[in-house]
Structure formats: C-alpha cells, structure tokens
Amino acid sequence: MKKIIIMMMLFAPMSIFAQKFGHVDSQAILQTLPDIAKVNGELQALSQEKENELQAMQTEFQRKVEEYQKTQSTMNQTKKDEVEKELGEMQQKIQEAAQLAQSDIQKAQQEKLQPIYTKIHTAIDNVGKAGNYTYIFDAQAMVFVGNDAKDITAEVKAELSKMK
C-alpha cells in the first residue's frame, strides 16, 4: 500500500506539468470583429433616438413651466393647484421615460451582443479542444501570466474567420 501511495506522489507532479494553459484577449478580439461596429452603430442610433424623445419631453415641460410662471398671478388657487399637479406628473413621466430608455438600451445591448459573445466563446472552445488546453483564461482577468501560458488570441481570431 505504501508503494502505491509513493508512486502516486511521484506521478502526481507529472500530471500537473502535463497541463496546458492558454490566455486570450477577448476585448481585442471583440474590437476587431466587423459585427461589433454594426452593433455599436445600432446602439448609438437607439441611444440618440431615446435622447431626442427625452429632450422633446423636457422642452415641452420647460415651455409649460414658463407659461405657468407668466400666468400664475392671474390664476385662482384651484387653477394653480391643477397646473402644479400637471407639471409634477409631467416631471414624473420624464423621469420614468429616462429610466425606461436606459433599460431599453441595456436590453438591446445584451440582445445584440449575446450572439457575438457566443460566437467568440465557441471559437475559444474550438481552439481549446484542438490544442488540448486544460485551461484558457481571459487576459483581462489575469493578475500574472507565466512563461508556460500561451497567448491564443491570434488562433481564436483565425477560428472566428473560419466560422463566417
């Protein structure tokens, strides 16, 4: 039994050395994909559209506030209360619209980027399987990269170009 344990202790370090590590710069890959420029353009257009809608609402609100300020001295208290309530509701709608716009932009970003992330992940998986890697790490999350780890960013880019 002792011999088996001693043999296992001797062979355990060998299995550790047999592992193959790689790292990939997923951000560099992401920035080189032509799909990302298209997605960024679409997201920018959506963002501008939402910004224009909010600006129109804000302009209308400002117009009504100025109108109220000019005419409040001639209004009775009931009319003042009514207009102030309307302005408060308008301001609340603007805030809700801003939150909804932000949520819509984030949702669109996730929907449009998910297929790209999936494609990159598939390419990394393919390179990892083809190269018999034990682990592949993202360069953005690593604190230290030793000499034994191989940068496979170029291989993943090549795999992505094959996938088109």
Side-chain angles (χ1 to χ4, degrees):
M1 185 67 161
K2 288 183 182 179
K3 289 182 181 180
I4 293 174
I5 293 174
I6 292 173
M7 293 208 24
M8 288 176 65
M9 291 174 69
L10 290 174
F11 287 117
M14 288 183 194
S15 67
I16 291 173
F17 291 122
Q19 294 180 356
K20 193 171 177 183
F21 299 98
H23 59 92
V24 63
D25 189 347
S26 60
Q27 287 298 319
I29 292 169
L30 187 64
Q31 296 305 319
T32 61
L33 291 176
D35 296 349
I36 200 70
K38 179 184 173 194
V39 167
N40 284 339
E42 291 172 358
L43 291 173
Q44 185 65 31
L46 178 63
S47 180
Q48 187 62 48
E49 177 186 324
K50 298 294 183 181
E51 181 69 29
N52 291 344
E53 290 172 6
L54 287 172
Q55 188 62 40
M57 291 174 78
Q58 189 67 34
T59 301
E60 177 65 16
F61 175 73
Q62 280 303 117
R63 186 188 65 73
K64 287 196 176 199
V65 166
E66 289 171 7
E67 181 182 315
Y68 169 70
Q69 289 173 343
K70 288 177 186 174
T71 60
Q72 79 179 21
S73 61
T74 62
M75 294 180 182
N76 62 28
Q77 190 58 41
T78 306
K79 182 66 174 172
K80 281 183 185 180
D81 292 344
E82 184 181 307
V83 172
E84 287 173 2
K85 182 181 177 190
E86 181 184 329
L87 290 173
E89 289 172 356
M90 222 174 152
Q91 190 172 27
Q92 185 176 358
K93 284 182 182 181
I94 291 171
Q95 291 172 347
E96 289 171 0
Q99 291 172 349
L100 183 62
Q102 185 66 30
S103 174
D104 288 348
I105 291 169
Q106 288 175 346
K107 183 178 177 184
Q109 183 178 27
Q110 288 173 345
E111 288 174 358
K112 291 178 183 300
L113 289 176
Q114 189 58 46
I116 295 172
Y117 291 147
T118 300
K119 190 175 180 180
I120 291 171
H121 185 70
T122 301
I124 292 170
D125 283 350
N126 292 346
V127 169
K129 289 173 185 171
N132 291 321
Y133 287 92
T134 305
Y135 294 103
I136 297 176
F137 300 97
D138 193 325
Q140 304 296 319
M142 293 190 305
V143 178
F144 172 77
V145 179
N147 294 334
D148 296 337
K150 181 180 177 189
D151 185 355
I152 61 166
T153 303
E155 294 173 38
V156 173
K157 286 180 182 179
E159 180 67 25
L160 280 168
S161 66
K162 284 192 247 178
M163 292 172 69
K164 291 182 181 182

